[in-house]
Amino acid sequence: MPVCRRTPPRDAVHHPLFARCYARMGPLADERAGVGELRGELLAGLSGRVIEIGAGNGLNFPHYPEAVSEVVAIEPERHLRRLATRVGLRAGVPVDVVPGVAEALPVKSEAFDAAVACLVLCSVRDVRRALAELLRVLRPGGELRFLEHGRAEGRVLATTQRALDRTVWPLMFGGCHTAREVRSAIAAAGFEPIGHRRLRIPERGPTLPTSPCVLGAARRPVSPAHP
């Protein structure tokens, strides 16, 4: 099924310095902070057509199971998209890397069996619109898999996160916000929770503003019109 090419300008998101830092640091986090194993857990059991938003430099691609027939990977940042395209060519499943933003996905409604949001909802400009788009493009009963960092449970770290989000953090880290309430936003968008677990990245070592994370799944409800 072809992708609709109604996309925003190719540089709708432009963070050249952050993109290059992320491309270097991402593989290190996968190896040394255990993020690679979490990617495998996030994607385990998926099948059919999958849409991934904010695919970055394609670190999820090697973890998709063989039952996935196609991955449409949305990435707005030009440098990361170029790197993701190269990785997609070596992936074990078909991957189409597409320019676009999460708030206006260039794909048809109800076209996907699953959606993936991995360390990206922190940086989208409008979380509600992005989640509404994911709900739109999933078939009824389709799953949203997410691995995201968010607001800390402890008061001291949560206060620090809010202060950083209002000042330097988004400027330094490509629009990232550390204290977004991901699970409540997903529920408010109309998804049915399936399950989740809280975790800390890295599991050992110093606590970072981005250390509190959640890994989980939610489902687009099946309406009476879609038995």
Side-chain angles (χ1 to χ4, degrees), residues 186-203:
I186 289 172
F191 287 93
E192 294 177 346
I194 296 175
H196 75 279
R197 69 182 180 93
R198 292 187 177 274
L199 49 101
R200 181 182 182 275
I201 300 176
E203 188 175 358

Side-chain angles (χ1 to χ4, degrees), residues 19-169:
R20 283 161 174 78
C21 291
Y22 182 86
R24 290 178 178 272
M25 298 303 294
L28 293 176
D30 277 21
E31 180 181 351
R32 300 180 183 179
V35 178
E37 293 182 8
L38 293 173
R39 293 182 192 276
E41 182 178 347
L42 173 71
L43 305 176
L46 290 182
S47 61
R49 299 190 76 227
V50 179
I51 184 167
E52 179 179 341
I53 60 169
N57 53 332
L59 293 176
N60 279 333
F61 298 169
H63 299 278
Y64 277 100
E66 292 181 357
V68 170
S69 59
E70 180 188 14
V71 177
V72 175
I74 309 296
E75 176 49 52
E77 211 288 325
R78 178 171 48 185
H79 178 68
L80 292 175
R81 188 168 61 245
R82 187 181 301 121
L83 297 176
T85 299
R86 296 174 188 168
V87 176
L89 294 174
R90 303 191 302 270
V93 300
V95 176
D96 186 12
V97 180
V98 178
V101 294
E103 297 91 337
L105 295 173
V107 295
K108 295 180 179 180
S109 299
E110 300 186 5
F112 294 90
D113 301 293
V116 173
C118 183
L119 303 176
V120 64
L121 292 176
C122 61
S123 60
V124 298
R125 292 169 179 169
D126 189 326
V127 176
R128 285 185 296 179
R129 283 184 61 187
L131 290 171
E133 279 289 272
L134 289 174
L135 194 71
R136 175 183 69 82
V137 304
L138 278 174
R139 64 168 177 77
E143 280 192 30
L144 168 62
R145 300 283 186 91
F146 57 93
L147 169 60
E148 299 286 345
H149 63 76
R151 186 178 302 174
E153 295 184 296
R155 185 175 65 178
V156 173
L157 183 54
T159 300
T160 301
Q161 288 177 321
R162 287 193 294 270
L164 290 171
D165 286 355
R166 295 190 192 104
T167 54
V168 298
W169 198 270

